[in-house]
Amino acid sequence: MTDNAYFANPAALASGTRQIQAISNFAVEMINEFITDVSATADWCGHDDSYAKQMIPQEKKQREGATSTGKALTEAIVGVGDGTLANLKNILGTQNGNLEAIHDSHIDTSNTTGGTGGGRH
């Protein structure tokens, strides 16, 4: 194979894409569960005493930071899955287009040479 050759293994890429999508789905479920669970603890430090007044802003900042980080990580994982799926679709489209071009070329050659094929493939 030369340095300019193009090679893709659609079956392996499809398998990898399915795995990435499963990981993406799991990540989305995890962050949604985390948000639900951490929201349930938002009032752990109280409501109106001196400790609550001191801790509520800090707790809110930490909860929102952890949630934002989790969402960003989940979006990155989902983005990798979406990008891999788009790559697979591109590869399959290119592959199918090339196969059709080869087929069409063979048909055109067969028709102009009386059905002998006339060329090598």
Side-chain angles (χ1 to χ4, degrees):
M1 191 176 294
T2 67
D3 289 338
N4 294 329
Y6 177 80
F7 176 79
N9 184 339
L13 191 55
S15 175
T17 300
R18 285 189 297 274
Q19 291 174 354
I20 292 170
Q21 287 177 325
I23 293 168
S24 295
N25 292 339
F26 185 63
V28 169
E29 290 172 13
M30 281 179 37
I31 190 60
N32 288 339
E33 183 178 334
F34 173 78
I35 290 169
T36 299
D37 290 348
V38 80
S39 295
T41 65
D43 61 354
W44 70 268
C45 54
H47 296 283
D48 55 8
D49 61 6
S50 62
Y51 181 75
K53 290 177 183 175
Q54 176 185 355
M55 293 303 298
I56 287 174
Q58 181 179 346
E59 185 278 332
K60 182 178 178 183
K61 181 180 176 183
Q62 290 175 343
R63 182 172 24 95
E64 290 174 351
T67 300
S68 295
T69 300
K71 285 180 179 180
L73 181 58
T74 299
E75 289 172 6
I77 293 169
V78 170
V80 168
D82 291 347
T84 305
L85 181 59
N87 190 30
L88 174 60
K89 288 178 181 179
N90 183 20
I91 288 169
L92 292 174
T94 300
Q95 185 180 51
N96 289 336
N98 288 337
L99 291 173
E100 286 177 18
I102 290 168
H103 181 270
D104 292 347
S105 172
H106 185 271
I107 290 172
D108 291 343
T109 304
S110 296
N111 289 337
T112 60
T113 62
T116 61
R120 288 192 227 172
H121 296 280

